[in-house]
């Protein structure tokens, strides 16, 4: 198989598309929580699936997280969105969401699903909209609660070897909420995506 | 005389999109800056009578550029073009002196509407 890669121009374009999608997702989250979401510069990299932990910063790797994964597919392009939510964030999230129940594993799960559906849904939709692709989303799957981020990323049983990884690190201003959203595209999809991107760049 | 327009964005794709969105027939000279530091320099050099400014940039972000413009009292009409569409972001840039806010992705219609609204685009 030929080595799939992206050029610097393509990387820049993916980054800008992600930037717009991330902003739309942040806007949804900001309205849900009535807080300001600090937006980073998204990171775009081609990495080996066996090295997914390379997609996040070293400092984030040995943090306890709860994680959700959700597949998406459309126009022959498929990928997975992975949300790594820091466990230390639940308390503030519960307060902002006005969550009244006990903050046990089940309570956390409910909050996690709410946040992930907003962030993943808006982000995937935002990228698709700019590429004029309608992505259908699969069911969200909880990968684990109170796990090490590194372990979650290494446990993935991916059928593809190389992946286009877009990492967006969301934090909130004045409160302790911190999560990482990873968008991962399969190798085959990257070939098709690159064509769409080249069209936009032309 | 041609208006000096500065497009300040760290993404070359975004700069290109912005340039394409400028109304046809508008007599402009277009300049580019890849981050806020370059942007402020260009504005000091008179290249930014009208500035299309991104917010999320390395080295110096859009907020920093707006602060510099205010601090040095630079002559620039700033239109923020950003993916950060949170109500708070829009309010912050207006407080810092931005004239208008356009949500990314930019297109010709949005650009024309804002330029017309603020009387920058006349007769084009």
């Amino acid at each position: 198989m030929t080595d799939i890669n992206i050029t610097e121009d393509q990387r820049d374009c993916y980054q800008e598309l992600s930037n717009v999608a991330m902003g739309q997702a942040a806007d949804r989250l900001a309205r849900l929580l009535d807080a300001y979401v600090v937006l980073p510069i998204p990171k775009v990299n081609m990495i080996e699936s066996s090295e997914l932990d390379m997609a996040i910063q070293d400092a984030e790797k040995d943090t306890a997280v709860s994680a959700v994964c959700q597949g998406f597919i459309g126009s022959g392009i498929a990928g997975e969105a992975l949300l790594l939510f820091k466990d230390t964030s639940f308390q503030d999230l519960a307060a902002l969401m006005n969550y009244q129940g006990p903050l046990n594993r089940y309570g956390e799960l409910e909050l996690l699903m709410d946040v992930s559906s907003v962030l993943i849904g808006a982000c995937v939709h935002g990228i698709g909209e700019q590429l004029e692709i309608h992505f259908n989303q699969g069911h969200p799957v909880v990968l684990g609660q109170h796990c090490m981020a590194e372990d979650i990323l290494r446990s993935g049983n991916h059928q593809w070897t190389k992946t286009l990884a877009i990492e967006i690190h969301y934090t909130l201003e004045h409160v302790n909420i911190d999560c990482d959203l990873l968008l991962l595209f399969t190798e085959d999809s990257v070939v098709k995506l690159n064509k769409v991107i080249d069209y936009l760049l032309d | 005389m041609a208006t000096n327009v500065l497009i300040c964005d760290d993404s070359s794709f975004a700069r290109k999109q912005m340039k394409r969105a400028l109304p046809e027939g508008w007599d402009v000279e277009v300049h580019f800056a890849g981050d806020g530091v370059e942007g402020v320099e260009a504005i000091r050099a008179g290249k930014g009578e009208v500035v299309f400014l991104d917010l999320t940039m390395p080295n110096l972000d859009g907020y920093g550029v707006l602060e510099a413009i205010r601090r040095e009292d630079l002559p620039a009409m700033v239109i923020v073009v950003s993916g950060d569409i949170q109500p708070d972001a829009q309010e912050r840039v207006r407080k810092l002196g931005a004239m208008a806010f356009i949500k990314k992705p930019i297109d010709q219609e949005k650009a024309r509407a804002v330029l017309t609204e603020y009387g920058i685009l006349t007769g084009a």
Side-chain angles (χ1 to χ4, degrees):
Chain A
M1 185 183 279
T2 51
D3 198 28
I4 294 155
N5 235 316
I6 52 171
T7 64
E8 189 49 37
D9 279 348
Q10 288 168 336
R11 203 192 55 75
D12 173 77
C13 189
Y14 282 116
Q15 189 169 325
E16 181 60 17
L17 296 175
S18 310
N19 177 44
V20 170
M22 145 186 108
Q24 291 170 351
D27 183 51
R28 294 270 310 275
L29 188 67
R31 287 167 197 268
L32 178 73
L33 302 179
D34 195 18
Y36 182 71
V37 182
V38 182
L39 292 180
I41 295 173
K43 288 196 207 71
V44 179
N45 285 302
M46 285 300 297
I47 52 175
E48 303 285 332
S49 300
S50 56
E51 298 174 334
L52 272 191
D53 55 313
M54 303 281 277
I56 62 168
Q57 290 176 10
D58 283 340
E60 309 287 321
K61 284 178 191 169
D62 55 351
T63 329
V65 297
S66 296
V68 176
C69 150
Q70 194 168 8
F72 54 88
I73 187 161
S75 301
I77 290 163
E80 267 177 23
L82 192 62
L83 184 76
L84 301 170
F85 192 82
K86 270 194 197 167
D87 284 330
T88 48
S89 309
F90 279 113
Q91 212 159 12
D92 282 357
L93 179 65
L96 288 179
M97 301 242 324
N98 211 8
Y99 179 79
Q100 304 292 348
L103 205 53
N104 53 25
R105 287 177 77 100
Y106 302 103
E108 289 183 356
L109 199 58
E110 196 180 323
L111 292 167
L112 178 65
M113 294 316 265
D114 285 346
V115 170
S116 75
S117 94
V118 167
L119 281 183
I120 295 177
C123 221
V124 169
H125 175 79
I127 296 229
E129 195 177 40
Q130 295 174 82
L131 298 172
E132 294 181 17
I133 296 169
H134 176 75
F135 286 122
N136 287 302
Q137 286 176 251
H139 286 289
V141 176
V142 178
L143 296 179
Q145 288 182 273
H146 311 163
C147 307
M148 289 293 128
E150 195 170 24
D151 294 337
I152 296 257
L153 292 172
R154 285 194 170 158
S155 68
N157 178 25
H158 299 293
Q159 299 299 309
W160 62 87
T161 56
K162 242 187 162 187
T163 178
L164 172 74
I166 299 172
E167 189 230 350
I168 301 165
H169 185 191
Y170 285 105
T171 48
L172 265 71
E173 199 173 63
H174 305 311
V175 288
N176 179 23
I177 295 180
D178 186 319
C179 61
D180 251 313
L181 180 64
L182 291 174
L183 296 175
L184 308 169
F185 292 90
T186 66
E187 266 181 315
D188 296 350
S189 302
V190 176
V191 179
K192 290 174 190 152
L193 273 174
N194 280 345
K195 284 189 186 142
V196 183
I197 294 287
D198 286 343
Y199 174 76
L200 288 178
L201 284 169
D202 194 22
Chain B
M1 232 179 70
T3 307
N4 283 300
V5 169
L6 177 69
I7 297 175
C8 185
D9 199 307
D10 57 321
S11 160
S12 65
F13 171 65
R15 292 195 297 271
K16 211 158 144 185
Q17 256 187 335
M18 186 63 236
K19 182 163 187 278
R20 271 187 212 158
L22 295 177
E24 280 163 39
W26 186 26
D27 186 17
V28 288
E29 188 166 340
V30 183
H31 309 272
F32 297 99
D35 63 29
V37 175
E38 284 180 28
V40 172
E41 273 171 26
I43 296 167
R44 281 192 196 122
K47 293 175 183 171
E49 291 170 82
V50 177
V51 182
F52 292 97
L53 180 69
D54 181 30
L55 288 182
T56 323
M57 290 184 292
N59 302 325
L60 182 69
D61 64 14
Y63 298 104
V65 173
L66 286 167
E67 278 163 13
I69 291 172
R70 174 176 280 187
R71 196 172 48 239
E72 299 178 30
D73 197 19
L74 298 170
M77 289 187 277
V78 181
I79 298 164
V80 170
V81 183
S82 176
D84 187 352
I85 56 173
Q86 297 175 78
D88 250 34
Q90 303 190 32
E91 202 187 307
R92 282 176 204 204
V93 298
R94 278 185 196 276
K95 276 188 187 150
L96 282 169
M99 191 174 69
F101 190 103
I102 301 180
K103 292 179 184 181
K104 279 185 178 178
I106 182 78
D107 59 40
Q108 283 212 356
E109 261 173 64
K110 288 184 196 171
R112 180 175 283 275
V114 166
L115 291 167
T116 308
E117 185 185 344
Y118 290 94
I120 298 171
L121 189 66
T122 43

